[in-house]
Amino acid sequence: MKKILITRKLIKDSEDKAQKIFEVKLNSNDELYSQAKLIELTQGCDGILTSLTEKMDADAINKLPKSIKIISNFAVGFGNIDLEAAKKRGIAVTNTPEVLSDATAEIGILLILGACRRASEGIDAARLSNWKWSADYLIGKQLTRSRLGILGMGRIGQKIAKIAKSLGMIIHYHNRSKLSADKEQGAIYHDSLKSLFSVSDVLSICCPATKETVNLINKQTIEYFPTGAVITNVARGDIVDDEALIDALNRRKIYAAGLDVYKNEPNLNPGYLKIKSAFILPHLGSATKDTRIAMANLAIDNIDEFFNTGNCKNIVN
Ligand code: GLV
């Protein structure tokens, strides 16, 4: 029986499933392991089921025992893992695509609604019961008829596009390549960031964090947006230069931001906390019971498939 380390506590059904297939080291207290502890715990293991809270950089990967053949990440994103370092060590890295697209797209829409309709300010006022209705009280931006730019039109981007279209938004997108007409569903393709940003009343960031996408939203690219645009991010914090976005929010170049992900989570840039127009959530994209079970099961199946066949459809390196 192969032996695996599961670095974070999973929903019980998923841990039970893993225990039927593998000899498993569980983390019953859901402790956040230091790199040193994690490496120590992998001794004697054949694989690791990691979460996005584990930073598997080249240094950590190079210290793993030779017996480790697979790192199965419990996430669709894999920015926490140095893919090249893993490949050099002959370690396969897998992710959990598809199963979280619906839940993540729902949060993507919540970010758009929350930022455009000033939900943070509204929630604060309602909790304090101190608001005074007037014709111009907490006026926000209407979604109907406004233009939504989608950066990264993969499964999550396409799902957000579909829901946003039903809300009356006009969809534009930028992607590595233009999609086929059935996937585009009438969305308008832009072959450059500048072209997309310049027509985005609202932006939804849905692309993976890679070396190419780090700080794509920065001092220079923010200027491409119409004044008063809204920027939302359901993908990864690394894509946004926080200082540039905070500055743009403060000077009202950008009207509002809707954020679920941050650099250096959970220690988000404190600048966001002072901005009323920042609608911020604690990385809830895939946080529904059905989705978390489906993700964990897929992460387990990825390891099983890999050890049974020597391959896995969800290898990303
Ligand atoms: C969540 O953020 C994921 O990448 O699965």
Side-chain angles (χ1 to χ4, degrees):
M1 213 181 214
K2 296 289 182 190
K3 189 166 178 176
I4 64 165
L5 170 71
I6 301 185
T7 60
R8 298 294 306 273
K9 192 170 167 58
L10 303 177
I11 288 171
K12 188 169 178 311
D13 289 359
S14 309
E15 291 189 344
D16 290 348
K17 173 181 163 103
Q19 279 174 314
K20 286 196 188 113
I21 311 175
F22 310 110
E23 191 183 327
V24 184
K25 283 192 196 175
L26 295 174
N27 178 355
S28 313
N29 296 327
D30 206 19
E31 193 187 324
L32 262 183
Y33 294 143
S34 65
Q35 265 186 6
K37 175 100 190 255
L38 190 137
I39 288 155
E40 185 192 316
L41 287 167
T42 55
Q43 300 305 318
C45 289
D46 304 288
I48 323 175
L49 194 155
T50 50
S51 295
L52 48 83
T53 47
E54 282 79 53
K55 192 163 167 49
M56 302 300 292
D57 56 19
D59 188 43
I61 286 174
N62 291 332
K63 287 184 183 142
L64 290 172
K66 296 238 160 4
S67 56
I68 295 290
K69 298 292 175 223
I70 178 166
I71 300 175
S72 172
N73 209 33
F74 174 57
V76 66
F78 35 81
N80 55 316
I81 303 173
D82 187 323
L83 297 185
E84 280 163 35
K87 199 174 174 86
K88 271 195 204 137
R89 285 283 314 264
I91 298 174
V93 178
T94 59
N95 72 341
T96 60
E98 290 187 28
V99 290
L100 45 60
S101 303
D102 291 344
T104 307
E106 287 170 9
I107 290 289
I109 292 291
L110 179 60
L111 296 176
I112 295 171
L113 281 164
C116 288
R117 298 304 301 272
R118 303 178 64 177
S120 291
E121 290 164 88
I123 291 167
D124 287 349
R127 284 191 184 284
L128 293 169
S129 301
N130 69 350
W131 80 92
K132 181 163 169 274
W133 186 91
S134 67
D136 62 356
Y137 177 61
L138 279 189
I139 291 283
K141 279 196 186 282
Q142 184 156 319
L143 269 50
T144 314
R145 290 180 294 279
S146 60
R147 298 166 297 179
L148 174 65
I150 298 193
L151 178 58
M153 195 67 144
R155 296 182 195 90
I156 295 169
Q158 286 172 42
K159 179 84 195 195
I160 289 177
K162 192 170 168 194
I163 305 171
K165 206 172 147 191
S166 75
L167 293 170
M169 299 187 87
I170 302 143
I171 316 299
H172 295 252
Y173 75 100
H174 171 68
N175 204 43
R176 268 171 307 188
S177 49
K178 188 170 169 359
L179 300 184
S180 58
D182 63 318
K183 286 192 173 154
E184 255 181 2
Q185 296 280 318
I188 303 152
Y189 178 66
H190 295 257
D191 63 4
S192 72
L193 282 184
K194 188 171 188 177
S195 167
L196 178 73
F197 292 174
S198 67
V199 297
S200 295
D201 300 315
V202 183
L203 181 78
S204 176
I205 303 172
C206 303
C207 60
T210 61
K211 285 191 185 105
E212 291 73 39
T213 62
V214 162
N215 290 338
L216 265 189
I217 303 295
N218 57 45
K219 201 168 180 298
Q220 184 193 349
T221 57
I222 281 174
E223 294 312 313
Y224 301 155
F225 285 89
T227 295
V230 170
I231 295 182
T232 69
N233 187 4
V234 74
R236 281 291 181 270
D238 285 337
I239 300 161
V240 175
D241 174 342
D242 293 322
E243 294 299 335
L245 179 55
I246 289 167
D247 173 62
L249 285 161
N250 279 327
R251 60 189 167 85
R252 307 298 277 171
K253 164 73 188 176
I254 297 299
Y255 174 83
L259 307 172
D260 188 42
V261 288
Y262 310 88
K263 282 201 172 80
N264 196 27
E265 291 179 13
N267 302 310
L268 62 159
N269 189 311
Y272 289 121
L273 306 180
K274 297 188 201 126
I275 297 176
K276 286 191 183 150
S277 62
F279 176 71
I280 54 177
L281 296 176
H283 204 145
L284 297 181
S286 62
T288 69
K289 190 169 179 197
D290 286 356
T291 295
R292 287 283 161 84
I293 290 175
M295 287 166 69
N297 289 349
L298 182 53
I300 293 163
D301 288 343
N302 284 340
I303 305 178
D304 197 29
E305 182 185 343
F306 177 78
F307 283 126
N308 284 329
T309 68
N311 210 336
C312 173
K313 61 183 172 310
N314 293 320
I315 288 181
V316 291
N317 67 334

